[in-house]
Amino acid sequence: MAFLKKFRCIADTISLFFLTFFLCYVSSHLRLPLVLSMFWIVNAVVAGIFVRYPSTHRPINYLACALAMFLNDYLFSGWLSSVILINLANIIFIAVVALGLRSLWRSHTDQLTPKQVLILFPVCLTASLLAGIWGGIVSAGGGSLTNNLLNIALWVSEQFSTGLMILPLILSFKRSQKFIWQRTSVLAVLSVPILFLGAALISGPGSIAFPLPVLIWCALVLPVFVSALVTFLVGILEIMMVYENLIGEHLVDSPPEIMTLVSIRLGVAAMVLTPFMVSVTIDAVKTLNRRLEIRANTDFLTQLLSRAGLFEKLGEIPLSAGQTVGLILFDIDYFKAINDNFGHQAGDSVLSELGYILRRDYKEQFYISRFGGEEFALIARDISAEQLYQQAEALRLRVARHDFSLTDRSLSITISLGLEVGSANNNEEWTQLITRLVSKADSLLYLSKAEGRNLTTPDWSEGSPALSDRTPT
């Protein structure tokens, strides 16, 4: 096990080295045109990986990333003496973001919270200022104070804009995320280029904010990662379109061209954080609602449906007139004696283990519910009386032969069962049908108890074969 862990650490380090080198190579060539200079994405990507996957956040991986940066600059820029000092700015950004966010992220499966999004802004700003001041000073090579300040502003805006646009992508990515596209989702995405066209036609300083309402719409109807991806693409296009004077109508000579780019970066970066916060908040609310729904509809002890959860689940299924439904209603024999003799903890243990057996062996065939106390209900659709009886008998024997584990001993229990098969009437709902079946099955369950317990009693009127052999096992 230790060997596998060590091997994984080595593999992570090698992977980060090559990923950093590749991203540095791509970014170095993209940033030559000033309009594309915001594509220095390596810092945000590596910082996001360190935050999202805490096991990768180790000193050796900082060294691997730094070596990859040095190698890229040496091979493609010819830098040697200044390469360490300049790339230290990148390491500063990565370290500040990773250290600033690590306490909020324990596992890569954790869900983003609004608190994390709120802290993302000040952490990115701090990291950008520290990295930008250092990078701007060491890369200025002397010059006037004005040029040095412009260089620092360029560094800070680049780090800040890429951080706020790329980190949400890394932190919200989920491979297992399932999403069904609906009409509102498609309309929201299609509206983005339409608003871009409107911004280009109307132009003016206010046109930079045109996409914001649609981005918030996307945040409401799309998964967090998809919304973050749309926002990221919109941010890139806005920076390019404003810089090329397609929207916004700025004057290249006043303010200076570099300060125009700085202003665009900072403005767009701050704007795109709004839909990300909305998306994460909506996701958190949906998750809370799902958990509350599960808690309301699931029995905590057995992890089966509660009575209310059973009716809720069945209510989602169409019920047609004449459809056959079978019900197995059973409870545990002498359950009160188990609580009295061994304690309520023993009774809870029996219920929990029985719930596990039912979930494991019968979940495919039945809707299963802890109906109340030690009473359970299993419901199957389109099942005959004979099939229901065979399933019930198999369940009775399964429970009788199982040893239930208590703290200091094992325990054998039996169950008594009542069965009922019925057909839905015209305009009858699930609640009415199940109530009718339970009423009959309950009287048959008590008949099983009256005749000695550990018995299965079906509705004799159904004429099911093999019902004469009802000797307790």
Side-chain angles (χ1 to χ4, degrees):
M1 194 70 177
F3 171 77
L4 292 176
K5 185 176 181 180
K6 185 176 181 180
F7 177 79
R8 181 178 178 182
C9 291
I10 295 173
D12 288 342
T13 302
I14 295 173
S15 298
L16 280 167
F17 174 84
F18 284 106
L19 176 64
T20 304
F21 183 84
F22 172 75
L23 292 176
C24 285
Y25 173 79
V26 172
S27 298
S28 297
H29 288 76
L30 284 177
R31 70 187 309 177
L32 295 178
L34 195 57
V35 68
L36 298 179
S37 63
M38 60 84 60
F39 283 96
W40 185 257
I41 65 175
V42 59
N43 295 351
V45 172
V46 173
I49 291 173
F50 283 170
V51 175
R52 183 71 186 270
Y53 302 91
S55 63
T56 65
H57 189 217
R58 295 180 291 119
I60 187 65
N61 289 337
Y62 278 100
L63 180 60
C65 293
L67 289 175
M69 293 176 187
F70 302 159
L71 182 62
N72 174 78
D73 284 342
Y74 176 71
L75 292 177
F76 301 105
S77 302
W79 296 347
L80 184 60
S81 59
S82 61
V83 67
I84 295 178
L85 290 176
I86 291 177
N87 280 291
L88 186 57
N90 298 326
I91 301 301
I92 289 174
F93 180 90
I94 294 171
V96 172
V97 171
L99 293 172
L101 299 178
R102 68 174 181 175
S103 61
L104 299 178
W105 205 280
R106 297 183 180 88
S107 169
H108 72 278
T109 58
D110 288 350
Q111 183 181 23
L112 270 172
T113 65
K115 181 179 179 181
Q116 287 173 308
V117 179
L118 283 174
I119 202 173
L120 191 62
F121 187 94
V123 167
C124 271
L125 182 59
T126 303
S128 302
L129 286 172
L130 294 175
I133 292 172
W134 177 269
I137 292 174
V138 299
S139 64
S144 65
L145 178 61
T146 302
N147 288 335
N148 287 339
L149 290 176
L150 287 176
N151 198 35
I152 290 173
L154 200 58
W155 271 77
V156 171
S157 65
E158 178 184 69
Q159 299 290 331
F160 185 64
S161 60
T162 54
L164 283 188
M165 285 195 289
I166 293 173
L167 279 170
L169 288 175
I170 307 296
L171 299 181
S172 63
F173 177 69
K174 290 184 179 180
R175 287 180 298 177
S176 60
Q177 193 170 29
K178 296 180 180 179
F179 176 69
I180 299 176
W181 285 89
Q182 299 178 347
R183 184 168 59 180
T184 54
S185 309
V186 176
L187 287 176
V189 174
L190 293 179
S191 298
V192 174
I194 295 176
L195 279 192
F196 262 122
L197 179 60
L201 292 175
I202 297 175
S203 193
S207 59
I208 191 173
F210 270 38
L212 186 57
V214 174
L215 292 179
I216 295 177
W217 184 14
C218 290
L220 293 173
V221 298
L222 297 174
V224 178
F225 173 74
V226 180
S227 175
L229 179 61
V230 172
T231 302
F232 169 72
L233 297 175
V234 167
I236 291 175
L237 289 174
E238 279 224 314
I239 291 174
M240 296 174 64
M241 291 179 72
V242 174
Y243 185 80
E244 293 295 334
N245 220 11
L246 297 176
I247 60 175
E249 285 190 356
H250 66 275
L251 297 176
V252 174
D253 296 326
S254 178
E257 187 177 86
I258 290 180
M259 288 309 298
T260 300
L261 181 60
V262 170
S263 176
I264 296 167
R265 286 172 172 172
L266 295 178
V268 171
M271 184 186 72
V272 298
L273 196 62
T274 302
F276 186 56
M277 169 59 85
V278 172
S279 183
V280 171
T281 303
I282 293 297
D283 190 55
V285 170
K286 289 179 179 178
T287 299
L288 177 60
N289 288 337
R290 285 195 298 267
R291 289 176 179 173
L292 292 175
E293 182 180 352
I294 291 173
R295 182 173 295 181
N297 293 334
T298 304
D299 176 63
F300 175 78
L301 188 60
T302 63
Q303 298 300 302
L304 299 172
L305 293 170
S306 62
R307 183 188 291 229
L310 176 65
F311 287 118
E312 182 78 20
K313 189 72 174 178
L314 291 173
E316 300 173 357
I317 305 168
L319 179 64
S320 55
Q323 183 175 7
T324 302
V325 176
L327 168 67
I328 299 175
L329 192 67
F330 76 87
D331 67 11
I332 301 172
D333 296 330
Y334 303 110
F335 185 73
K336 184 177 183 300
I338 296 175
N339 285 330
D340 293 341
N341 294 331
F342 304 106
H344 287 278
Q345 187 174 358
D348 289 347
S349 178
V350 169
L351 290 171
S352 178
E353 193 166 350
L354 180 57
Y356 172 75
I357 292 172
L358 292 171
R359 295 196 315 272
R360 184 189 64 187
D361 297 341
Y362 296 92
K363 191 175 181 179
E364 298 298 325
Q365 303 99 327
F366 294 93
Y367 298 95
I368 311 170
S369 166
R370 183 184 177 190
F371 221 54
E374 71 273 21
E375 190 172 59
F376 295 80
L378 290 81
I379 294 174
R381 297 184 298 159
D382 302 320
I383 190 170
S384 66
E386 179 182 358
Q387 291 170 332
L388 188 67
Y389 179 77
Q390 291 172 351
Q391 293 276 16
E393 274 293 275
L395 171 60
R396 181 180 68 83
L397 295 173
R398 172 76 176 82
V399 172
R401 293 167 183 169
H402 181 78
D403 290 329
F404 288 80
S405 301
L406 304 183
T407 303
D408 56 349
R409 69 187 70 202
S410 61
L411 182 69
S412 296
I413 67 170
T414 59
I415 58 176
S416 297
L417 306 90
L419 315 182
E420 179 65 10
V421 177
S423 299
N425 298 324
N426 289 327
N427 300 322
E428 190 173 33
E429 297 181 353
W430 276 107
T431 304
Q432 299 168 312
L433 174 60
I434 298 304
T435 300
R436 177 161 55 87
L437 296 179
V438 167
S439 178
K440 181 64 175 177
D442 194 50
S443 62
L444 297 172
L445 186 157
Y446 280 98
L447 181 60
S448 292
K449 288 184 173 293
E451 295 190 6
R453 291 181 168 83
N454 191 22
L455 287 173
T456 300
T457 303
D459 186 351
W460 296 104
S461 63
E462 293 295 329
S464 178
L467 299 184
S468 58
D469 184 10
R470 300 180 61 249
T471 305
T473 300

